[in-house]
Amino acid sequence: MPDKFVIFPLGDSAATIYFGNVIDMPTHKKVASLYYKLSRHPFKGMIEVVACYASVTVFYNPTEIERECGSVFENVKRKLEAIASIVEESKEVAGKRITIPVCYDNAFAPDIETLSEWSGLKIDEIIGMHSSQQYHVYMVGFLPGFAYMGNVPAKIAMPRKARPEKVAVGSVGIAGIQTGIYPMDSPGGWQIIGKTPLKIFDVMQQPPCMLGAGDIVQFKPITKRELENFKCRHS
Amino acid sequence: MDVFSAAAANILVGNAGDTAVLEMHYPASSFRFTQSALIAIGGAGFSPTINGEPAPVLQPVFMRKNDILQFSSPSGGARTYLAVHGGFRTEQWLGSGSTHLKLAHSGYKGRKLKKNDALKINEGVYSQAIKQMNTPTALPWKIIPLSDDSDVISVLRGKEWEQLSEASMRLFEEREFQITIQSDRMGYRLEGEVLNRINSMEMISAAVNFGTVQLLPDGQLIVLMADHQTTGGYPRIAHVVTAHLGRLAQMKAGDKVRFRCVTQQQAEKMLLEKESYLQQLKTTCALHLEEWIRKNSKK
């Protein structure tokens, strides 16, 4: 790894390799390469790996970790340091290109007014900004199939809410420079500005997640009627 | 939720610790057995009865055909586990036999149990022998729970602990936090003294764990539980140690939690001790069960 990282414990059963509090492609490439390396060559006691924007977290069973000296975590940390320091940046991940229809109608956008006040932009301008560029899928997490995408233009990059609220399936939200789609009804703190009729997570599909890290997404505005018609066609 | 109690109940009936069990809240279901079976009840307990007579908790019990198992009071905690020799037959998905209620998938038909459901039991090592037996109910061995009388929940400091003001760091360990009604298997929402950060920087989403204590922007806390998400964006000020997750899982809305910070070594020691206790139980229970089956099987 060309740049530095730190390893810290996430409780007593996981360790995080952390590259910084940034959302950018160079960092994410390091994350991806370490993620693939660990997934393909798990060490004894390792349960699973979770890749995020700028960190990789390894979950482990403390009773199965081989120990030389020190705590279980220290042993895991030594292992991870050795692996992380020889991993090379991965090549560009060739993902899918997907267009996602989104209805930005007020009926499905409970927070678009708040975002308009926060940004000083008209609702049409917000829709234009959100849907006129491509987004990179950095990671999948939070809920099954929830894709974290970026980067949202700074003018509409409104922070999360103070308290999570109920969010409906298909809702499209913004949290800082991230944008994402709720694959199911869930509590959530993102600012909701629209809704897609697409099934982002489907247990009957293989794989069940529509989006994966490396995919390129473009949102396409649709009307309320188009949203309802879409639902009829697909139900 | 209470993984240790579920494992203990499984071990009593000769199963692997992670075999599918039923997790129940009070009021819990009543069960009529349509064949003989070996069961054990773990966790809260809920004062179980068999055909109206009090039945033991953390002790294997032989159920005959048409025996009725019921639970009579919300005593002992929030969740009771029912294990059966062989395990309940559930649909496996992504390496688990649990029911995912939100997705309405896997486990038992993707939903909670309801009246008149018929649960199937997998074939275990002794299933055939058990089916042919007709013996008194409680078997002559039991688990004495590890004495754990303190109600303090041990935690490890999290990556964002340093963002708390000094006063908030103290309050976190000094004050009680109440589990609110908006709590579920995904997370416990706590209410208590408002905690403040000295730094209000937005954190980009990163991994979270079972037991992670997140600080919400309004200064209140959430403890992530068994059905927690894999990643989150709120500051992770602490993590409940794995050895105390069961204790927390047995608490319910209205209960008060007090936290105490421990070191990584202490947390690991508590967990490894608990795991080695389960391993010992497993060996002992397996021997008892084998002998009991041998003595009571028809020649």
Side-chain angles (χ1 to χ4, degrees), chain B:
Chain B
M1 290 276 277
D2 181 356
V3 180
F4 285 101
S5 293
N10 266 324
I11 284 170
L12 279 165
V13 296
N15 291 341
D18 61 354
T19 306
V21 296
L22 290 184
E23 179 177 271
M24 294 174 281
H25 298 164
Y26 198 83
S29 311
S30 299
F31 302 91
R32 186 170 66 81
F33 284 72
T34 54
Q35 64 180 58
S36 36
L38 188 63
I39 66 158
I41 294 156
F46 299 159
S47 314
T49 63
I50 296 168
N51 304 328
E53 295 294 318
V57 173
L58 284 180
Q59 184 169 352
V61 178
F62 183 82
M63 300 296 287
R64 285 162 301 191
K65 189 175 171 179
N66 289 323
D67 278 351
I68 309 251
L69 172 67
Q70 286 172 300
F71 297 90
S72 61
S73 80
S75 58
R79 287 161 236 275
T80 288
Y81 295 89
L82 175 61
V84 57
H85 178 72
F88 291 100
R89 190 174 303 169
T90 61
E91 189 192 336
Q92 299 284 322
W93 185 54
L94 305 177
S96 166
S98 296
T99 304
H100 198 304
L101 288 179
K102 266 187 195 153
L103 295 173
H105 195 62
S106 72
Y108 184 82
K109 299 183 180 176
R111 61 162 169 81
K112 292 182 186 177
L113 299 183
K114 59 185 188 196
K115 197 174 175 180
N116 292 330
D117 278 343
L119 297 168
K120 292 196 170 71
I121 296 170
N122 284 325
E123 196 77 10
V125 185
Y126 303 121
S127 294
Q128 287 308 321
I130 288 167
K131 273 181 204 158
Q132 289 160 17
M133 282 183 199
N134 189 5
T135 67
T137 51
L139 274 57
W141 68 91
K142 63 184 299 178
I143 294 180
I144 313 292
L146 285 176
S147 68
D148 217 2
D149 45 1
S150 157
D151 60 350
V152 174
I153 300 289
S154 293
V155 296
L156 288 161
R157 291 185 176 132
K159 176 78 163 56
E160 284 76 47
W161 168 264
E162 299 293 331
Q163 296 183 6
L164 287 176
S165 70
E166 276 188 34
S168 291
M169 287 178 183
R170 276 198 305 276
L171 287 172
F172 178 71
E173 282 196 85
E174 282 168 5
R175 296 302 165 92
E176 285 185 327
F177 296 87
Q178 188 168 37
I179 299 173
T180 68
I181 199 83
Q182 301 131 293
S183 299
D184 57 16
R185 291 179 51 95
M186 196 168 168
Y188 282 4
R189 238 191 235 213
L190 308 183
E191 198 166 287
E193 199 82 40
V194 169
L195 303 184
N196 297 308
R197 286 201 292 160
I198 42 177
N199 149 351
S200 62
M201 192 177 69
E202 273 270 300
M203 174 195 140
I204 61 167
S205 292
V208 290
N209 204 346
F210 188 178
T212 296
V213 183
Q214 292 179 313
L215 177 65
L216 299 180
D218 68 359
Q220 298 293 338
L221 302 173
I222 286 187
V223 188
L224 301 179
M225 299 301 286
D227 284 0
H228 70 87
Q229 60 273 34
T230 54
T231 62
Y234 293 123
R236 301 155 294 181
I237 63 162
H239 306 275
V240 174
V241 303
T242 305
H244 279 179
L245 288 173
R247 182 187 286 181
L248 191 59
Q250 289 299 351
M251 298 175 86
K252 48 193 166 210
D255 288 347
K256 286 177 177 160
V257 183
R258 196 189 277 274
F259 296 111
R260 180 187 56 206
C261 295
V262 297
T263 65
Q264 197 77 25
Q265 280 85 348
Q266 286 170 319
E268 288 175 0
K269 186 162 171 270
M270 288 159 78
L271 176 60
L272 296 177
E273 276 172 10
K274 231 169 166 170
E275 287 293 342
S276 85
Y277 179 65
L278 280 182
Q279 274 309 316
Q280 270 175 30
L281 286 175
K282 202 170 173 178
T283 316
T284 321
C285 288
L287 286 172
H288 280 305
L289 183 58
E290 194 189 339
E291 186 176 329
W292 184 82
I293 294 277
R294 191 167 42 76
K295 274 190 190 160
N296 291 277
S297 290
K298 288 182 181 159
K299 302 292 175 306

Side-chain angles (χ1 to χ4, degrees), chain A residues 5-194:
Chain A
F5 55 85
V6 291
I7 299 178
F8 61 83
L10 191 73
D12 54 21
S13 61
T16 296
I17 305 115
Y18 176 77
F19 298 95
N21 196 41
V22 287
I23 300 183
D24 64 31
M25 285 306 289
T27 307
H28 193 250
K29 279 185 191 171
K30 291 181 215 165
V31 166
S33 60
L34 184 56
Y35 171 76
Y36 288 119
K37 172 94 180 175
L38 284 164
S39 317
R40 284 173 198 147
H41 309 283
F43 55 83
K44 188 170 182 289
M46 191 178 116
I47 299 168
E48 64 177 336
V49 201
V50 172
C52 292
Y53 287 106
S55 62
V56 175
T57 296
V58 177
F59 291 82
Y60 56 85
N61 180 345
T63 55
E64 288 178 17
I65 296 295
E66 288 165 348
R67 277 199 289 167
E68 285 166 14
C69 59
S71 66
V72 174
F73 169 70
E74 281 159 8
N75 283 267
V76 170
K77 186 180 174 187
R78 277 197 293 272
K79 247 184 256 284
L80 292 174
E81 269 165 355
I83 298 166
S85 54
I86 54 163
V87 162
E88 286 169 13
E89 270 186 38
S90 72
K91 309 277 176 290
E92 190 74 46
V93 193
K96 311 181 285 288
R97 285 177 182 276
I98 302 168
T99 300
I100 295 182
V102 177
C103 174
Y104 294 91
D105 189 281
N106 276 4
F108 310 106
D111 304 317
I112 205 162
E113 292 277 1
T114 323
L115 176 55
S116 170
E117 284 166 29
W118 179 85
S119 61
L121 294 170
K122 294 199 186 80
I123 287 178
D124 282 350
E125 293 174 314
I126 294 171
I127 298 170
M129 276 196 163
H130 188 253
S131 61
S132 63
Q133 67 160 75
Q134 293 184 329
Y135 297 93
H136 173 78
V137 176
Y138 284 99
M139 58 185 253
V140 176
F142 170 38
L143 294 167
F146 188 100
Y148 289 77
M149 297 171 266
N151 297 3
V152 169
K155 281 186 179 168
I156 57 169
M158 185 175 177
R160 283 182 191 78
K161 296 171 192 172
R163 274 185 162 237
E165 286 166 20
K166 277 188 180 170
V167 179
V169 57
S171 292
V172 177
I174 285 177
I177 60 171
Q178 317 168 94
T179 184
I181 307 162
Y182 283 76
M184 59 199 69
D185 292 339
S186 163
W190 292 35
Q191 310 288 347
I192 303 305
I193 60 163

